[in-house]
Coordinates of all heavy atoms in Angstrom, one line a residue:
Chain A
Y856 N -27.2 -39.8 21.0 CA -28.0 -38.9 21.7 C -27.3 -37.7 22.3 O -26.8 -37.7 23.4 CB -28.9 -39.6 22.7 CG -29.7 -40.7 22.1 CD1 -29.5 -42.0 22.5 CD2 -30.7 -40.4 21.2 CE1 -30.3 -42.9 21.9 CE2 -31.4 -41.3 20.7 CZ -31.2 -42.7 21.0 OH -31.9 -43.6 20.4
R857 N -27.2 -36.6 21.4 CA -26.6 -35.4 21.8 C -27.6 -34.3 21.5 O -28.0 -34.2 20.4 CB -25.3 -35.2 21.1 CG -24.2 -36.2 21.3 CD -23.1 -36.1 20.3 NE -22.2 -37.2 20.6 CZ -21.3 -37.2 21.6 NH1 -21.2 -36.1 22.4 NH2 -20.5 -38.3 21.8
F858 N -28.1 -33.7 22.5 CA -29.0 -32.6 22.3 C -28.8 -31.4 23.2 O -28.1 -31.6 24.2 CB -30.5 -33.1 22.4 CG -30.6 -34.1 23.5 CD1 -30.6 -33.9 24.8 CD2 -30.9 -35.5 23.1 CE1 -30.8 -34.8 25.8 CE2 -31.1 -36.5 24.1 CZ -31.1 -36.1 25.4
P859 N -29.3 -30.2 22.8 CA -29.0 -29.1 23.6 C -29.6 -29.0 25.0 O -30.5 -29.9 25.3 CB -29.6 -27.9 22.7 CG -30.2 -28.6 21.5 CD -30.2 -30.0 21.7
S860 N -29.3 -28.1 25.8 CA -30.0 -27.9 27.1 C -31.4 -27.5 26.9 O -31.7 -27.0 25.8 CB -29.2 -26.8 27.9 OG -29.5 -25.6 27.3
Q861 N -32.3 -27.7 27.9 CA -33.6 -27.3 27.8 C -33.7 -25.8 27.5 O -34.6 -25.3 26.8 CB -34.4 -27.6 29.0 CG -34.6 -29.2 29.1 CD -35.4 -29.6 30.3 OE1 -35.8 -28.8 31.1 NE2 -35.8 -30.9 30.4
D862 N -32.9 -25.0 28.3 CA -33.0 -23.6 28.1 C -32.8 -23.1 26.6 O -33.4 -22.3 26.1 CB -31.9 -22.9 29.0 CG -32.3 -23.0 30.5 OD1 -33.6 -23.2 30.8 OD2 -31.5 -22.8 31.4
E863 N -31.8 -23.8 26.0 CA -31.5 -23.4 24.7 C -32.7 -23.7 23.7 O -33.0 -22.9 22.9 CB -30.3 -24.2 24.2 CG -28.9 -23.7 24.7 CD -27.8 -24.6 24.2 OE1 -27.6 -25.7 25.0 OE2 -27.1 -24.2 23.3
V864 N -33.3 -24.9 23.9 CA -34.4 -25.3 23.1 C -35.6 -24.4 23.4 O -36.3 -24.0 22.4 CB -34.7 -26.7 23.4 CG1 -36.0 -27.2 22.5 CG2 -33.6 -27.6 23.0
I865 N -35.8 -24.0 24.7 CA -36.9 -23.1 25.0 C -36.8 -21.8 24.3 O -37.7 -21.3 23.7 CB -37.1 -23.0 26.5 CG1 -37.6 -24.3 27.2 CG2 -37.9 -21.8 26.9 CD1 -37.5 -24.4 28.6
E866 N -35.5 -21.2 24.4 CA -35.3 -20.0 23.8 C -35.6 -20.0 22.3 O -36.2 -19.1 21.7 CB -33.8 -19.7 24.0 CG -33.5 -18.2 23.8 CD -31.9 -17.9 23.9 OE1 -31.3 -18.6 24.7 OE2 -31.4 -17.2 23.1
S867 N -35.2 -21.1 21.7 CA -35.3 -21.3 20.2 C -36.9 -21.4 19.9 O -37.3 -20.8 18.9 CB -34.6 -22.6 19.9 OG -35.0 -23.0 18.6
A868 N -37.6 -22.1 20.8 CA -39.1 -22.3 20.5 C -39.8 -20.9 20.7 O -40.6 -20.5 19.9 CB -39.6 -23.3 21.5
V869 N -39.4 -20.2 21.7 CA -40.0 -18.8 21.9 C -39.7 -18.0 20.7 O -40.7 -17.2 20.2 CB -39.5 -18.2 23.2 CG1 -39.9 -16.7 23.3 CG2 -40.0 -19.0 24.5
G870 N -38.5 -18.0 20.3 CA -38.2 -17.2 19.1 C -38.9 -17.5 17.9 O -39.4 -16.7 17.1
L871 N -39.2 -18.8 17.6 CA -40.0 -19.3 16.5 C -41.4 -18.8 16.6 O -41.9 -18.3 15.6 CB -39.9 -20.8 16.5 CG -40.9 -21.4 15.4 CD1 -40.4 -21.3 14.0 CD2 -41.2 -22.8 15.8

Side-chain angles (χ1 to χ4, degrees):
Chain A
Y856 300 115
R857 297 168 183 281
F858 33 73
S860 72
Q861 289 185 354
D862 286 341
E863 286 174 280
V864 179
I865 286 168
E866 198 186 320
S867 168
V869 169
L871 171 76

